[in-house]
Amino acid sequence: MGDDLDDADQHGDPFGMRFGPMFAPGRPARSERATDLAIPVLHAGGWSGLTLRTMARAANTTPQAVAAWFPSVGRMRLAIAERYGKRWIRERGAAARRQLRAIDTDDECRVVQVARALATRNRAERAFDGIWLTIVEASRWDLAIRSVVAPVLARERDLVTGLLVELGEPEPSESDVELALALVRGQRFSVAAR
């Protein structure tokens, strides 16, 4: 998630993806493809907008074809939440590491450095973070979604700990990790509320 997505945004597709028939030969696994298709659907319509019909429209196919992939809307949403969470944390980590390499970090405390590195910087990152927050919100009332969100949140905690170690904090305290998480999550919620 970086400048390459900003370029895609300038050309009218904020997610840099092409859409076509879901069952075309050579396509990735169904949950990967469904996740690709779900990103703009979630961005436009939120969690409640993620239906067989909207996915079929995005895939240029019928709701019955999507139903052949997923036995229920709940299973489709679960597969998408799981894949999206894995992608989201991987991308946030990569973007944070690039950011830390690009800035002079000698004059700030490490917790602030990590929070700044994990903060969203552009429209595409705000959109991807907003989609993640939509999934996190759904996990508050859907136990199945919660079961796939919890490991991603644990990986986010591990990411913060790892970034602090990379910055020279050999054994980051729990309070430092919590503070960095609070700062970056607060920023995400603030940006999403706009």
Side-chain angles (χ1 to χ4, degrees):
M1 289 189 296
D3 296 332
D4 53 330
L5 287 177
D6 282 346
D7 292 341
D9 184 49
Q10 293 170 5
H11 302 317
D13 181 359
F15 302 102
M17 297 177 199
R18 293 182 212 165
F19 298 96
M22 202 181 278
F23 294 107
R27 295 290 185 191
R30 67 179 177 222
S31 58
E32 285 293 326
R33 182 72 176 140
T35 304
D36 291 344
L37 295 169
I39 291 170
V41 171
L42 282 164
H43 183 65
W47 194 248
S48 63
L50 189 59
T51 65
L52 294 176
R53 187 170 307 286
T54 58
M55 288 296 290
R57 200 173 308 123
N60 192 27
T61 192
T62 66
Q64 294 79 8
V66 177
W69 269 12
F70 299 102
S72 68
V73 172
R75 294 281 298 271
M76 178 184 70
R77 288 177 174 175
L78 181 64
I80 290 167
E82 181 176 27
R83 289 292 191 187
Y84 192 88
K86 288 177 182 178
R87 284 184 186 181
W88 177 82
I89 195 65
R90 183 179 60 239
E91 288 297 320
R92 296 313 293 142
R97 285 184 174 89
R98 281 192 305 271
Q99 183 66 18
L100 286 173
R101 283 192 301 268
I103 60 174
D104 178 21
T105 57
D106 291 337
D107 59 344
E108 286 183 325
C109 84
R110 292 178 179 119
V111 170
V112 173
Q113 293 171 20
V114 168
R116 281 186 52 211
L118 286 167
T120 57
R121 269 168 281 297
N122 58 50
R123 184 174 161 188
E125 285 183 0
R126 285 189 299 274
F128 279 102
D129 280 356
I131 292 167
W132 174 243
L133 291 175
T134 297
I135 293 169
V136 170
E137 179 63 24
S139 77
R140 292 179 57 188
W141 46 266
D142 186 321
L143 295 176
I145 301 301
R146 187 178 308 161
S147 73
V148 300
V149 165
V152 177
L153 295 176
R155 285 185 61 198
E156 184 181 27
R157 176 176 295 288
D158 294 343
L159 172 62
V160 167
T161 302
L163 292 172
L164 287 168
V165 169
E166 289 173 28
L167 287 175
E169 189 70 37
E171 292 183 36
S173 70
E174 187 63 26
S175 62
D176 283 350
V177 172
E178 284 295 325
L179 180 56
L181 283 170
L183 289 170
V184 74
R185 288 175 179 169
Q187 186 262 354
R188 273 187 213 129
F189 284 116
S190 174
V191 168
R194 291 183 203 160

